[in-house]
Amino acid sequence: MIVTARSTTLTLLLFALCGWARAASMAITAVADTSIFESKPDFNLGGTSLVSGTNQMSSRSRAMFRFDLSVLPANTVVTEVRVLLHVSQQPDPDQHGGPAESDFSLHRLFVSWGEGTGSNATGSVAMAGDATWNERHAGALSWATPGGQPGEDYETEASSTTGISGVGPYVWDSTPALVGDVSAWLADPSSNFGFILVSQGEATPGTGRRFGSLEQPGGVYPPAQLMVTYHVIPEPSAPGLLTAGALILTLRRNRRSSCR
């Protein structure tokens, strides 16, 4: 009976201090996105669709996007994270062997990059500060290697991976790594540089895909979405603190009684 009484008192103490943690979910739209091209190493594509993978002429591209997590409430504890992207276009099936399926991985970026406003199919000449294949900020800062280097510019291990084939929506499922990325950015917003999207089939022509972006013409395909499930731990309230004090006194009395 003594153990039961103590356990009950401790449980009540926690509820008095913090209350029930509220479960909630939120869809967060990317605030910046861009693409870089191996065949156009000084071009930027930040003003239309995103592109990642290898085209039918064996040239690689990679996409990057970032989310603003300040929209989440204070005292948020993240439990699940998913990323949603829409494929808006695949290679022409009647040319150069057509499209090829591949897995696409999200990798946490370690360094900053410039979104830019480049347009056209493979972008346009980068302005100062724009991300390109050669530089993450044109005229100022380069990648460790062109296109970004695993272990230096972005995390070597993928945070989440999904297979991509035709046009349509795709979800990168929640993983401990993906939850860890978002939790780390919440704890230190200055480290939030978003994700780079890399095809695991970059050696295969035809894996390239276009994805919806913030500047997608016509707005038919939405930009990247971060789906976050979380709990909010409330701050202790004044009545809760008073109740907690009373419960602590009760717990002490129970301990004294058990020692007699």
Side-chain angles (χ1 to χ4, degrees):
M1 294 296 294
I2 293 174
V3 173
T4 301
R6 288 179 180 176
S7 299
T8 301
T9 303
L10 287 171
T11 301
L12 290 172
L13 176 59
L14 289 172
F15 289 156
L17 283 171
C18 298
W20 292 94
R22 295 182 286 111
S25 60
M26 183 181 295
I28 303 173
T29 299
V31 293
D33 54 18
T34 198
S35 304
I36 55 178
F37 295 86
E38 185 177 33
S39 63
K40 302 284 187 178
D42 297 316
F43 278 36
N44 165 270
L45 181 62
T48 58
S49 57
L50 291 178
V51 184
S52 183
T54 301
N55 68 14
Q56 292 162 299
M57 304 303 290
S58 300
S59 179
R60 296 175 294 168
S61 58
R62 293 172 176 176
M64 296 172 286
F65 43 88
R66 180 173 56 82
F67 304 94
D68 180 6
L69 301 182
S70 66
V71 296
L72 290 168
N75 303 317
T76 290
V77 177
V78 177
T79 57
E80 289 187 346
V81 176
R82 291 176 176 81
V83 174
L84 174 65
L85 283 167
H86 282 72
V87 173
S88 60
Q89 187 178 344
Q90 62 180 344
D92 188 336
D94 297 322
Q95 294 187 18
H96 306 290
E101 297 182 359
S102 75
D103 290 338
F104 279 74
S105 296
L106 295 172
H107 299 260
R108 178 184 174 185
L109 279 156
F110 295 148
V111 294
S112 62
W113 46 275
E115 179 180 20
T117 58
S119 58
N120 301 317
T122 55
S124 50
V125 176
M127 304 293 288
D130 293 354
T132 69
W133 189 263
N134 284 334
E135 299 175 287
R136 54 191 179 90
H137 291 282
L141 296 169
S142 297
W143 300 103
T145 58
Q149 180 176 316
E152 293 289 335
D153 296 313
Y154 60 87
E155 177 63 56
T156 302
E157 297 297 323
S159 294
S160 186
T161 300
T162 196
I164 288 183
S165 54
V167 172
Y170 290 87
V171 175
W172 281 255
D173 285 332
S174 186
T175 65
L178 207 53
V179 171
D181 293 340
V182 174
S183 298
W185 293 337
L186 280 172
D188 181 13
S190 67
S191 69
N192 180 6
F193 303 117
F195 296 106
I196 186 167
L197 179 66
V198 181
S199 167
Q200 292 187 359
E202 282 190 330
T204 304
T207 58
R209 297 293 189 274
R210 289 189 181 271
F211 298 84
S213 73
L214 287 166
E215 297 81 13
Q216 181 73 35
V220 176
Y221 297 97
Q225 300 276 322
L226 189 73
M227 319 297 290
V228 183
T229 301
Y230 59 93
H231 294 279
V232 176
I233 307 300
E235 295 287 350
S237 63
L241 292 172
L242 290 174
T243 303
L247 290 170
I248 290 171
L249 289 175
T250 301
L251 182 58
R252 286 179 176 175
R253 292 193 190 99
N254 289 339
R255 285 178 178 173
R256 289 171 184 167
S257 298
S258 65
C259 294
R260 291 177 183 174

